[in-house]
């Protein structure tokens, strides 16, 4: 399986998103991170299954949340 590395800016965005979701509802931030983890696992299993969006960048939407993971192979 391919290794996945997040940009520092993406990690900061994820931290902010988790905090925001936790402010909206108890444990919603944790649910967000679990859905993110599930999406990352899907990308690792089938990296070519998701569509191209910008040139070589592909995208995978995180289930139940309005966030995308952008990646390249």
């Amino acid at each position: 399986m391919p290794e996945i590395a997040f940009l520092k800016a993406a990690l900061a965005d994820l931290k902010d998103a988790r905090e925001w979701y936790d402010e909206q509802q108890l444990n919603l931030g944790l649910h967000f991170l679990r859905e993110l983890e599930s999406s990352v696992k899907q990308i690792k299993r089938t990296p070519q299954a998701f569509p191209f969006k910008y040139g070589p960048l592909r995208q995978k939407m995180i289930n139940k949340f309005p966030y995308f993971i952008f990646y390249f192979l």
Side-chain angles (χ1 to χ4, degrees), residues 5-42:
F6 287 88
L7 298 174
K8 287 182 184 181
L11 292 173
D13 286 345
L14 292 172
K15 180 181 179 285
D16 290 345
R18 181 191 180 167
E19 290 172 359
W20 186 86
Y21 281 120
D22 277 338
E23 289 173 5
Q24 306 312 303
Q25 182 181 328
L26 183 64
N27 292 322
L28 189 57
L30 180 59
H31 185 61
F32 169 72
L33 292 181
R34 286 182 179 157
E35 291 297 331
L36 170 72
E37 183 178 330
S38 175
S39 292
V40 168
K41 286 179 182 178
Q42 287 178 311

Side-chain angles (χ1 to χ4, degrees), residues 42-71:
Q42 287 178 311
I43 292 169
K44 283 184 171 186
R45 281 193 305 270
T46 56
Q48 296 179 337
F50 304 101
F52 288 103
K53 182 63 177 179
Y54 303 107
L57 287 178
R58 293 176 182 264
Q59 72 175 15
K60 163 70 174 95
M61 186 170 190
I62 297 174
N63 295 332
K64 303 177 187 174
F65 292 90
Y67 283 85
F68 287 91
I69 298 171
F70 291 95
Y71 65 98

